[in-house]
Amino acid sequence: MISVRNVHKWFGELHVLKGVSLDVKKGEALVIIGPSGSGKSTLLRCMNLLVSPDEGDILIDGVRVNDPKIRPEWVRQQVGMVFQSFNLFTHLTALQNVVIGLTKVKRLSSTEAERIARFELERVGLADKADAYPAQLSGGQQQRVAIGRALALNPKAVLFDEPTSALDPEYIREVLDVMTKLANEGMTMVVVTHEMGFAQNVGDRVLFMADGIVVEEGTPEEIFERPQQDRTKTFVGTILG
Amino acid sequence: MGTGGTKDTTPLVRSSSGGSEKAPTLQERITASKGLILRIAFGGIATVVAVFLLYLAGYVGLYDLDYALSLLPPRGRALTTGLLATLGFMTVVMPLGFGLGFFFGWARTSKVWLGRAVATTYVELFRGMPPIVLIAFAVLITIVVFRGNDRIDLFAFASLAGVVALAAHSGAYQAEIIRAGILSVPTGQTEAAEAIGMSKATILRHVTLPQMFRVSLPALGNEFASLIKDTSLLSTIGGLELTFQGKNLSAVLAVGGGNLDLVIIIWVEIALLYFLITFVVSRTLQAVERRFRVPGLEAAQL
C-alpha cells in the first residue's frame, strides 16, 4: 500500500535518512523501533509528505506521490497521522476537532460531518466528551480524540508517531487499547513506538532503524528473540532489560 | 476499549447532552453583549457623575460657575464639532491601521523572503519616526505632488494623507502584535492541520487566526487606546478635532482676557470625552476577547 523507495533526507548538513526503503502491506501493523535521532519520525513524516524527501520516492497504491503534480493535501487525506503531543486544536471542542476536517477538507455538510464525528468519538470511547475542550481532557482522552480526528477522514492508513510517549503512565493503556482495536479491525498502521509490549503483541512486522537506515526487519519474534545484527541486539537488550 | 481506566479529573463546564456545538457559543454571545451594554452604561454613569462633580465644584465657589455656564452654548458647539471630527478620524484610522497591521504582521511570518523583507522595512520605517513627523511628511508630499491641479481639493487630499500616515504608524505597531500572536500558535497546531489535508488558507483562517487573537487582543486594545488619543496629532494639520477645539477656545479666551477657570473646565471636558471614547472602545474589545475564550485556558476576566 505504502512503498518507500531509497529515500534520503537532509536537514542542513545533517543526513537524517540515508536511503530507506520499505513496504507497508494493506491491513498490517508495521512497528518501527529505534533509538532517538535514528530518523523514525522523519521517515513517518515523509510518508504523508509533511516532510518532502530530497531523494527517492513515496508510492501510495503504486502512485508516486512526491510529484509536483500531486497535491500534498490530497496525499494527507489518504494517510492519517497521530502525533506524540496530540496537537488537538485547542480552540475547538472534541467534536469540532473531528468535524473540521470533514467540513473544511472533505467539504461535507455540517450535519453529515457531525454524524460521522460522533460515530468516531464513539469508536474511541469518548462520545460523552464531545463538547469538552482539549484543556479539559486528560492526555489519554486527547490522544483518543486525535485518533478519531485521523480516522474520520477515512484514510487508507494511519501513521502513529510515538503516540504514548507524552502520556502519564496511567493513560497509556487506554490509547494502546484503541490502537489494538484498530489493528484488529484491519486498519493499515505504521507505528513508531517505544511500547515493546504493543510491538510484540500487535505488530505484524517490526522494523529496527538506527542512524537513518533500516538495520533489520522481521516478525516481532525475529526482532525481539533472535535479532541478527549487533546494533539490534544491543537496542533490544537495553529496551527489554 | 480502555474507557474503564479513564480517570476523569477535569469537570466539564458544559453538559454533553446538547445536540449542537453551536448552542453554547450563541449563549456566550448573548451573555457577552449583555455584559457590554452594562459596561457601557457604567462608563456613561461615571462620566455623568464626573461632570456633576465638576459643576458642583463651581457651585460651592471653587470657580465662577455663572461665567462658565454663560459660555456653555458656544463651547458646546465647538466641542461637539471636535468630538464628531475625532470620531470621524477614528473610524478611518482604526480599521485602516488594523488592516495594515494585519497584512504586514502576517507577511512578517511569511516563508517568502520578499514578503518578510517588505514587511520588515514597513515596520521599521513607520515605527521609527514620530507620528507627528510622518503626518507632516505625508501632507507636504501630497501638496508638492498635487499642487496646481485644479480638479482636486488639495486641502482634503492633504488631510487624508495625514490620516493615512497616522494609520500607517499605528499599523507598524499592530503588525508586531499580530506577528507575536501568529508565533504564539504552536507549530504542532499547523502540522496537525496539514496532516488532515487542510490548505494553507484554511489553516490560517480556521486554526491560526482563532488562536492568535486570543493572545493578541489585549495588546491590540492597548494600541487602539493609544491610537484614539493620537488622533489629536491631526490638529497640527488643521483637523478640527477635540484637541484643536480646546486650543482654539483657550486662545480665544486668553485674547478676550477671560478667566483661567473656564480654560480648566474646557480641558476637563475634553479629557472626559477622550476617556469616554477610549473606555467604550476598550470595553468593546474585551467583549470580543470573551468570544475567543477557550474553556480550560482562560485566566480571570474583568
Side-chain angles (χ1 to χ4, degrees), chain B residues 103-122 179:
Chain B
F103 177 76
F104 285 106
W106 169 72
R108 284 266 274 167
T109 65
S110 168
K111 289 196 177 73
V112 182
W113 176 86
L114 188 66
R116 282 201 312 277
V118 170
T120 307
T121 309
Y122 164 77
R179 184 168 75 94

Side-chain angles (χ1 to χ4, degrees), chain A residues 216-231:
Chain A
E216 193 167 351
E217 67 171 289
T219 64
E221 293 75 30
E222 285 166 351
I223 298 295
F224 291 111
E225 284 154 33
R226 301 182 295 279
Q228 304 298 308
Q229 305 287 328
D230 285 344
R231 275 197 287 188

Side-chain angles (χ1 to χ4, degrees), chain A residues 30-234:
Chain A
L30 173 68
V31 174
I32 303 176
I33 60 169
S36 305
S38 55
K40 309 182 299 283
S41 285
T42 307
L43 173 62
L44 219 54
R45 280 169 166 72
C46 281
M47 291 189 206
N48 67 351
L49 301 183
L50 277 185
V51 167
S52 54
D54 292 326
E55 274 178 37
D57 293 319
I58 307 288
L59 291 88
I60 294 178
D61 287 339
V63 180
R64 180 172 172 264
V65 294
N66 56 326
D67 183 307
K69 287 198 287 280
I70 290 187
R71 285 168 51 238
E73 288 86 358
W74 178 82
V75 177
R76 292 171 196 145
Q77 288 178 54
Q78 314 301 310
V79 185
M81 186 161 201
V82 174
F83 298 88
Q84 180 175 354
S85 47
F86 334 133
N87 297 349
L88 287 184
F89 304 125
T90 54
H91 63 299
L92 301 177
T93 63
L95 186 71
Q96 290 167 335
N97 261 281
V98 185
V99 161
I100 193 167
L102 296 165
T103 51
K104 303 301 172 200
V105 179
K106 291 228 156 171
R107 307 269 165 211
L108 298 183
S109 72
S110 51
T111 344
E112 177 68 358
E114 189 175 320
R115 194 186 61 74
I116 296 172
R118 287 197 185 276
F119 170 76
E120 294 300 342
L121 286 181
E122 184 81 53
R123 213 167 153 190
V124 296
L126 287 171
D128 58 328
K129 297 292 184 197
D131 294 328
Y133 283 83
Q136 297 170 320
L137 297 171
S138 73
Q141 291 169 337
Q142 289 188 53
Q143 192 61 297
R144 282 150 63 200
V145 174
I147 294 172
R149 176 174 67 180
L151 293 178
L153 295 177
N154 198 18
K156 290 177 175 154
V158 181
L159 314 172
F160 292 84
D161 186 15
E162 301 197 27
T164 57
S165 297
L167 291 173
D168 289 335
E170 73 247 51
Y171 299 131
I172 290 177
R173 181 62 191 277
E174 63 190 63
V175 171
L176 291 181
D177 282 349
V178 168
M179 290 168 62
T180 306
K181 186 176 159 223
L182 209 54
N184 292 339
E185 286 171 4
M187 174 56 83
T188 310
M189 296 162 65
V190 184
V191 185
V192 170
T193 188
H194 297 301
E195 291 295 326
M196 294 305 142
F198 179 84
Q200 282 175 309
N201 299 328
V202 183
D204 294 305
R205 265 189 316 141
V206 176
L207 194 142
F208 174 67
M209 275 185 81
D211 291 329
I213 56 163
V214 176
V215 176
E216 193 167 351
E217 67 171 289
T219 64
E221 293 75 30
E222 285 166 351
I223 298 295
F224 291 111
E225 284 154 33
R226 301 182 295 279
Q228 304 298 308
Q229 305 287 328
D230 285 344
R231 275 197 287 188
T232 319
K233 284 177 193 164
T234 316

